[in-house]
């Protein structure tokens, strides 16, 4: 079956061994689906479906790998069954490189229980920080494993075209500066500021980022503005590219270097589970950026991949690949009432998707439900 390599036209013999590097905490996600409402205290709720998958930073790593990027992940894994399952699912199932990761004896894997209902989700997590890594550590994943040329003796972090960094107030991760000095393009993600200060100066690693991708509320709080589009422009004083997600209204981006701005409306879909949608959006934008697509195409592709992901349950389970993208593209073109202007927004997909990459719509995808008997 034809494969899609979004960076094929840019690859040379001098390339870094990896397209994207990222690091963080891998959780075992246990997902309950088919709940009619939120659990009520003092009662027992029954879910019609359930499943498990690697979560946390694994959501974004999986999304990047399924979009055709050579992905390297550095994370700690417990030596329990949960850790073994997550390691195998990522390395064998998604072809994610784990040579920078490690297994920690006696450390149990972090776990998140996610309950999806009414298009939302509620999560409960448990975990402990892993013990510090010993300087002499060498991951068991590197033993006997063939790596791309130049990867065998790579320093940490390994050489990569890009990296996704999770920024947090008052914290600086030395690997970000090292990666940036070696030419890695850094894409900064961020979460809610529990300190309540919302001070960009408190994000010291933002200066190394090529792009910063907050949501509308985060962007407005960080910039003191009352409009997410104004916030995006204000953020370009700190970072070359600012991307602000607008929820149901889509996304807006500004590139200070070119003066270009772009806005893409959200694709109307039925939301079953938004878990991991933000990670998928970032993965889509990183893919388009490393492929040197125009800003509007990068933004549209990120929104499309996120929209495809919320129609399925689970975090990494729902991350779309090129089969899903190809099926969607062919399906929307066949709709007679389709708005030609809206369709033209995604015309760049026509040059990316091989003719042989065809599957019927709707797709039967992996879902977090294990059943018995024959499916129909």
């Amino acid at each position: 079956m034809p494969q899609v390599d979004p960076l094929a036209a840019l690859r040379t013999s001098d390339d870094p061994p990896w397209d994207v590097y990222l690091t963080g905490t891998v959780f075992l996600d246990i997902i309950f689906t088919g709940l009619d409402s939120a659990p009520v205290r003092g009662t027992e709720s029954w879910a019609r479906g359930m499943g498990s998958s690697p979560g946390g930073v694994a959501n974004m790593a999986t999304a990047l790998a399924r979009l055709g990027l050579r992905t390297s992940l550095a994370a700690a894994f417990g030596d329990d069954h949960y850790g073994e399952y997550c390691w195998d699912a990522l390395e064998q199932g998604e072809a994610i490189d784990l040579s920078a990761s490690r297994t920690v004896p006696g450390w149990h894997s972090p776990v998140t229980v996610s309950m999806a209902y009414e298009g939302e989700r509620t999560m409960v997590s448990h975990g402990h920080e892993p013990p510090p890594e010993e300087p002499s550590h060498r991951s068991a994943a590197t033993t006997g494993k063939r790596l791309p040329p130049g990867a065998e003796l790579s320093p940490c972090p390994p050489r990569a075209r890009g990296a996704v960094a999770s920024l947090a107030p008052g914290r600086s991760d030395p690997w970000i500066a090292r990666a940036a000095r070696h030419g890695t393009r850094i894409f900064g993600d961020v979460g809610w500021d529990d300190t309540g200060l919302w001070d960009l100066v408190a994000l010291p690693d933002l200066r190394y980022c090529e792009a910063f991708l907050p949501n509308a509320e985060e962007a407005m709080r960080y910039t003191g503005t009352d409009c997410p589009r104004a916030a995006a422009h204000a953020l370009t004083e700190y970072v070359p590219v600012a991307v602000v997600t607008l929820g149901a209204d889509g996304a807006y981006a500004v590139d200070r270097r070119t003066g270009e701005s772009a806005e893409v409306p959200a694709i109307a879909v039925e939301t079953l589970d938004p878990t991991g949608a933000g990670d998928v959006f970032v993965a889509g934008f990183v893919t388009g950026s490393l492929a040197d697509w125009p800003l509007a195409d990068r933004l549209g592709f990120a929104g499309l991949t996120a929209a495809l992901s919320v129609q399925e349950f689970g975090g990494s389970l729902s991350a779309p690949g090129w089969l899903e993208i190809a099926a969607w593209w062919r399906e929307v073109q066949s709709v007679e009432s389709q708005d030609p202007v809206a369709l033209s927004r995604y015309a760049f997909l026509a040059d990316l998707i091989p003719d042989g990459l065809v599957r019927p719509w709707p797709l039967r995808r992996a879902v977090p439900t294990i059943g018995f008997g024959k499916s129909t």
Side-chain angles (χ1 to χ4, degrees), residues 52-369:
S52 59
S53 63
V57 71
N59 291 338
M60 188 175 298
T62 299
L64 290 162
R66 290 186 183 178
L67 292 177
L69 299 187
R70 300 168 183 172
T71 303
S72 175
L73 170 64
F77 291 79
D79 62 350
D80 51 15
H81 290 307
Y82 294 166
E84 292 175 358
Y85 164 75
C86 289
W87 186 292
D88 288 344
L90 295 172
E91 184 180 54
Q92 303 299 324
E94 305 294 345
I96 294 170
D97 172 72
L98 298 179
S99 60
S101 294
R102 60 185 174 124
T103 297
V104 182
W107 180 66
H108 73 77
S109 302
V111 175
T112 292
V113 174
S114 177
M115 293 160 281
Y117 54 89
E118 298 176 353
E120 293 293 341
R121 85 282 197 202
T122 298
M123 297 182 289
V124 178
S125 298
H126 173 73
H128 302 282
E129 289 289 330
E133 182 176 3
E134 297 180 5
S136 60
H137 164 74
R138 178 175 173 84
S139 171
T142 63
T143 304
K145 180 176 180 179
R146 296 182 63 187
L147 300 177
E152 291 83 354
L153 301 177
S154 296
C156 187
R159 289 176 56 238
R161 295 173 183 266
V164 180
S166 180
L167 308 182
R171 188 189 76 194
S172 179
D173 290 321
W175 75 263
I176 298 175
R178 291 198 299 269
R181 284 196 298 268
H182 287 90
T184 299
R185 300 163 66 179
I186 310 295
F187 298 83
D189 195 9
V190 71
W192 191 257
D193 185 357
D194 291 328
T195 69
L197 297 178
W198 297 100
D199 184 3
L200 288 168
V201 176
L203 300 177
D205 292 328
L206 185 60
R207 58 181 168 166
Y208 301 113
C209 293
E210 171 181 321
F212 184 46
L213 299 96
N215 64 33
E217 186 66 22
E218 294 160 350
M220 290 188 291
R221 287 178 179 266
Y222 270 121
T223 58
T225 60
D226 57 4
C227 170
R229 294 162 185 81
H233 286 273
L235 287 171
T236 58
E237 296 181 13
Y238 298 86
V239 65
V241 179
V243 181
V244 177
T245 55
L246 309 174
D249 292 329
Y252 184 81
V254 183
D255 189 331
R256 181 187 68 203
R257 297 165 300 190
T258 63
E260 182 183 12
S261 64
E263 182 166 359
V264 175
I267 298 174
V269 295
E270 180 183 356
T271 300
L272 295 182
D273 183 4
T275 303
D279 295 324
V280 173
F281 180 94
V282 173
F285 189 83
V286 169
T287 299
S289 297
L290 295 182
D292 291 338
W293 297 348
L295 184 62
D297 291 354
R298 286 181 265 164
L299 204 60
F301 186 72
L304 169 60
T305 53
L308 292 176
S309 77
V310 303
Q311 298 178 82
E312 302 290 340
F313 289 112
S316 60
L317 278 172
S318 66
W322 283 99
L323 278 173
E324 288 84 356
I325 295 167
W328 175 86
W329 176 234
R330 290 188 168 85
E331 173 67 14
V332 296
Q333 291 182 86
S334 68
V335 177
E336 294 182 359
S337 59
Q338 186 63 254
D339 180 3
V341 175
L343 197 62
S344 66
R345 187 175 296 116
Y346 300 94
F348 66 93
L349 294 174
D351 295 328
L352 291 168
I353 299 172
D355 292 337
L357 201 65
V358 178
R359 281 178 64 183
W361 182 277
L363 295 171
R364 180 169 180 82
R365 301 179 55 196
V367 295
T369 301

